[in-house]
Amino acid sequence: MPDWLTNMEPHWAWLSLGVLLAAAEIVAPGFFLIWLGAAAIATGAIAWVVPLTIPVQLGIFAILSFVALYGARRWLKANPITTTDPHLNLRGGRLVGEVLTITKAIEDGRGRAKVGDGEWPVRGPDAAEGTKVRVVSADGGVLVVEAA
């Protein structure tokens, strides 16, 4: 083990761990690691001010982690994160209302339509190739259409 690591004060280890966990939240977002990072930073701050043994520091970290995670969960349940665009990550949902051109005739309720520079599968009433249709909803990766 490197000499600098064996001589490191425990509070620096806690502060470093806290910063690493906070940085890991950026790499793998899940709104979880940030709270463990906050608990580690708080533990490091306490260990810096008050000389504590390693087992006591581990206990403080465990308690602060539990409190931070429990508090964050309760707060998020009471204040859910909402968006002004409910179809933000639903490309099919964003196409509702758009008028498309059928590229493969809809027969027996199934066909294809031009969307941008590609084609999407569509479901709706039978329609010939070249017909204009309006998207009324999206069912997974299939657009539900009606005559425009």
Side-chain angles (χ1 to χ4, degrees):
M1 188 175 280
D3 194 36
W4 62 270
L5 190 57
T6 55
N7 294 330
M8 181 186 285
E9 293 290 328
H11 65 271
W12 286 115
W14 285 113
L15 294 171
S16 299
L17 177 65
V19 170
L20 286 173
L21 287 169
E25 180 71 37
I26 295 169
V27 175
F31 211 55
F32 175 76
L33 295 176
I34 192 72
W35 303 111
L36 296 179
I41 290 172
T43 302
I46 293 169
W48 196 348
V49 175
V50 180
L52 301 169
T53 63
I54 299 297
V56 172
Q57 291 176 29
L58 288 170
I60 290 171
F61 174 70
I63 290 168
L64 290 176
S65 294
F66 177 79
V67 168
L69 289 170
Y70 180 75
R73 183 175 175 170
R74 287 199 58 183
W75 186 83
L76 283 172
K77 191 175 257 187
N79 304 294
I81 298 171
T82 58
T83 177
T84 56
D85 185 1
H87 297 295
L88 181 63
N89 293 319
L90 302 173
R91 183 151 184 237
R94 294 182 78 90
L95 294 172
V96 172
E98 295 288 322
V99 175
L100 309 176
T101 303
I102 298 296
T103 56
K104 181 180 176 203
I106 300 177
E107 295 173 348
D108 298 324
R110 304 239 178 238
R112 297 189 69 77
K114 183 168 180 58
V115 177
D117 62 350
E119 287 186 355
W120 278 50
V122 295
R123 188 174 67 219
D126 289 356
E129 189 174 319
T131 306
K132 299 287 185 184
V133 292
R134 182 178 320 280
V135 179
V136 292
S137 68
D139 183 14
V142 178
L143 300 175
V144 180
V145 297
E146 66 182 9

